[in-house]
Amino acid sequence: MATSLSTDLRQRLISAVESGQSCRAAAKRFGVAASTAIKWVSRWRSEGHAVSRPRGGDRHSHRMEALAEEILGLVEQTPDITLAEIAAHLEAVHGGKIAPSSVWRLLDRHDMTFKKTDARQRAATARRSAAAT
């Protein structure tokens, strides 16, 4: 993954634009895309700085964590509830689209794993049953 361009380059480009050069001309001069220069200058004008934003990381789990108590309560009430059923319940109550995989990641973060027991295993095939005897 590529790294962010330096703050020094951003400052030099912004200084060039502030001294009268167009964003497109400054972008060509400093070897960046015109859209990049426009975004940097716009951010500098609106926020007062040109520091790059943090890259990567999880930006969405906080939405599921806000529903954690409700989800864990559903699992406690109905131990054999499926991920799809939990997602459907959340969509009905809170609206929006919630993927079962998001529910799974929340349960995994809270150490809620479900192992199949012998009673829940599928019946063995006839070939495996015959080989075992």
Side-chain angles (χ1 to χ4, degrees):
M1 184 161 93
T3 61
S4 300
L5 294 173
S6 71
T7 304
D8 176 57
L9 175 64
R10 293 165 187 258
Q11 292 293 343
R12 288 185 291 143
L13 185 138
I14 290 169
S15 295
V17 171
E18 290 297 309
S19 65
Q21 224 175 3
S22 70
C23 284
R24 292 185 186 279
K28 189 172 185 178
R29 175 179 165 194
F30 291 104
V32 297
S35 61
T36 301
I38 292 167
K39 288 175 188 175
W40 288 353
V41 172
S42 174
R43 186 163 184 220
W44 182 77
R45 288 178 178 159
S46 66
E47 298 178 19
H49 61 84
V51 179
S52 63
R53 291 190 175 115
R55 297 175 56 108
D58 178 23
R59 301 185 317 259
H60 303 289
S61 66
H62 66 278
R63 289 186 285 188
M64 290 302 290
E65 286 297 332
L67 303 172
E69 190 173 314
E70 181 178 352
I71 293 169
L72 296 173
L74 282 170
V75 172
E76 191 174 312
Q77 286 175 351
T78 313
D80 61 342
I81 193 168
T82 65
L83 296 173
E85 290 171 340
I86 294 172
H89 168 80
L90 294 173
E91 287 176 16
V93 173
H94 300 284
K97 180 78 174 137
I98 296 176
S101 58
S102 297
V103 176
W104 166 247
R105 285 190 295 275
L106 176 112
L107 292 174
D108 191 39
R109 281 193 301 273
H110 289 269
D111 294 325
M112 300 267 318
T113 59
F114 301 98
K115 300 293 182 188
K116 291 183 179 179
T117 60
D118 288 337
R120 295 177 65 195
Q121 294 289 337
R122 285 188 197 191
T125 62
R127 193 172 359 163
R128 282 192 285 163
S129 296
T133 56

